[in-house]
Amino acid sequence: MSQSYVGKARHFFANEVRDSKGIPKSCHRGKVHCVKWNHSGSRLASVSTDAIAALYSVRSSSETAPLQKELEFTEHSDIIDQCRWKPESDKLLATASRDSTVKLWDARSGSKSIRTIKTSGENINLAWSPNGNEIAVGNNNDVISFIDTRKFEVVNQKKNEILVNEIEWNHSGDLFLLTTGDGFVTVLDYPSLEESVSPLRAHTGCTFCIEFDSKGRYFATGGADALVGLWHATELICLRTIGHAEWPVRAMSFSFDGRLLATASEDTYICINFVDTGELVHKIDTSDGTTAVAWHPNQLLLAFSGEGAATGMISLFGIPK
């Protein structure tokens, strides 16, 4: 069954997609830091160093530009590092900016934000709890603020003594995980924010990114050692490492069925890996390093953004011929 899945995926990526390097679109004037699909996959959001957030729809029938911009959000005054859709929502988007605010946007309400929450520093990471009631935002002083989305105010904060790169809740919302500059993953009980277990040694260098699969079975970490770690989400043990990159792994995304993991770095390619074994299924050649990747929530369609010559571009890989 596993080899049948891998074989079919390899054939699809090699022979049935429209462009082997993805179909690009110029979307921003600066580097794109994050791309995220909403719950149904009807819209893609992006944020950039140009302080703009944008929403797009996908028109697969378009020969030249399947990604169509619908809205731009321009109220932030500094770099936007992260965005997240409210879980199970197609409409509500949060953005975290270095202007010390988190803004909430409703895709039905045009280009004006519906809420602005002031925070204590320049925001660089963001997560939305599975039940939709809390947003966590971390700043460049490694302070994480927890925002109650029913009150639209900061209700708790946690100061960390070590560099925090990314933050995420597990699927049940009772654990809160942080990737740190010393190569560990810190696991906290939520909402107490007490350590649940001893920090997990994930990488020999800085641990940059963390991503949970849609089924709640696994999470993956990417590090400065150019490795990807695949972890059991409830046992909190490392199941395997994946080593197809040559540069630090900074972005990753699980496919909708949880069987493929796209990983990206400063390498001039994106790796699509088979989760069950770690084997390489496909490489997407890119002109430069990749800053963000996101699988569509119900099809094998990957959105990604790059740097260098690809700065400001968002590409789609997986549009059928």
Side-chain angles (χ1 to χ4, degrees):
M1 178 67 73
S2 293
Q3 288 308 310
S4 174
Y5 181 94
V6 170
K8 289 179 180 178
R10 283 176 172 156
H11 179 81
F12 174 72
F13 294 137
N15 301 292
E16 297 182 22
V17 301
R18 194 183 301 172
D19 191 313
S20 63
K21 295 185 178 181
I23 303 173
K25 179 181 177 64
S26 179
C27 297
H28 289 274
R29 294 187 297 275
K31 185 185 294 186
V32 178
H33 277 187
C34 184
V35 290
K36 293 291 180 183
W37 296 96
N38 65 358
H39 176 66
S40 70
S42 61
R43 288 187 175 94
L44 179 74
S46 67
V47 297
S48 167
T49 59
D50 62 10
I52 292 173
L55 299 185
Y56 314 85
S57 59
V58 176
R59 299 177 187 173
S60 299
S61 59
S62 171
E63 290 295 326
T64 57
L67 202 62
Q68 302 289 322
K69 185 177 287 187
E70 291 186 346
L71 285 171
E72 276 195 350
F73 304 133
T74 60
E75 292 180 15
H76 282 297
S77 60
D78 205 341
I79 291 169
I80 311 173
D81 272 303
Q82 293 289 324
C83 64
R84 291 292 186 276
W85 293 92
K86 183 179 180 180
E88 312 297 322
S89 171
D90 279 349
K91 306 300 182 184
L92 295 179
L93 180 75
T95 54
S97 171
R98 298 188 195 181
D99 65 7
S100 301
T101 67
V102 171
K103 288 183 179 288
L104 299 181
W105 315 84
D106 189 327
R108 300 164 295 186
S109 301
S111 58
K112 292 186 179 295
S113 62
I114 59 171
R115 294 284 179 174
T116 298
I117 301 99
K118 293 184 178 181
T119 59
S120 59
E122 298 179 11
N123 300 313
I124 58 175
N125 46 48
L126 182 70
W128 206 319
S129 67
N131 64 10
N133 291 336
E134 295 93 21
I135 291 172
V137 56
N139 66 28
N140 60 345
N141 294 317
D142 304 303
V143 175
I144 300 173
S145 299
F146 294 87
I147 298 167
D148 187 321
T149 58
R150 296 157 297 185
K151 301 176 181 178
F152 300 105
E153 62 184 39
V154 175
V155 294
N156 197 6
Q157 287 188 324
K158 180 175 176 59
K159 169 64 177 173
N160 298 276
E161 300 304 321
I162 195 163
L163 174 69
V164 175
N165 285 309
E166 287 196 3
I167 53 180
E168 193 59 83
W169 273 277
N170 67 347
H171 273 244
S172 59
D174 60 350
L175 294 178
F176 187 75
L177 290 78
L178 307 80
T179 64
T180 60
D182 58 357
F184 286 86
V185 176
T186 298
V187 183
L188 306 177
D189 282 321
Y190 192 81
S192 71
L193 299 180
E194 299 294 329
E195 281 198 1
S196 175
V197 296
S198 297
L200 309 175
R201 166 59 81 178
H203 297 274
T204 56
C206 185
T207 304
F208 287 116
C209 50
I210 185 168
E211 181 84 5
F212 279 84
D213 85 313
S214 61
K215 309 296 183 182
R217 299 173 301 173
Y218 309 116
F219 67 88
T221 59
D225 53 10
L227 294 175
V228 173
L230 185 73
W231 297 75
H232 193 287
T234 54
E235 299 294 332
L236 301 178
I237 57 174
C238 187
L239 302 173
R240 65 185 58 90
T241 57
I242 302 171
H244 303 307
E246 297 180 15
W247 288 87
V249 177
R250 294 180 175 271
M252 56 181 57
S253 178
F254 282 95
S255 61
F256 71 96
D257 58 3
R259 304 199 73 182
L260 297 175
L261 178 65
T263 58
S265 64
E266 294 175 37
D267 292 309
T268 56
Y269 53 82
I270 297 168
C271 293
I272 299 178
N273 311 286
F274 186 48
V275 170
D276 289 359
T277 63
E279 66 186 291
L280 182 65
V281 175
H282 188 78
K283 275 187 179 180
I284 305 171
D285 292 328
T286 58
S287 58
D288 287 281
T290 301
T291 56
V293 293
W295 281 112
H296 191 278
N298 54 49
Q299 59 181 292
L300 292 180
L301 177 63
L302 185 73
F304 63 91
S305 58
E307 52 191 356
T311 295
M313 309 286 285
I314 298 175
S315 295
L316 293 179
F317 174 78
I319 299 288
K321 291 181 178 177

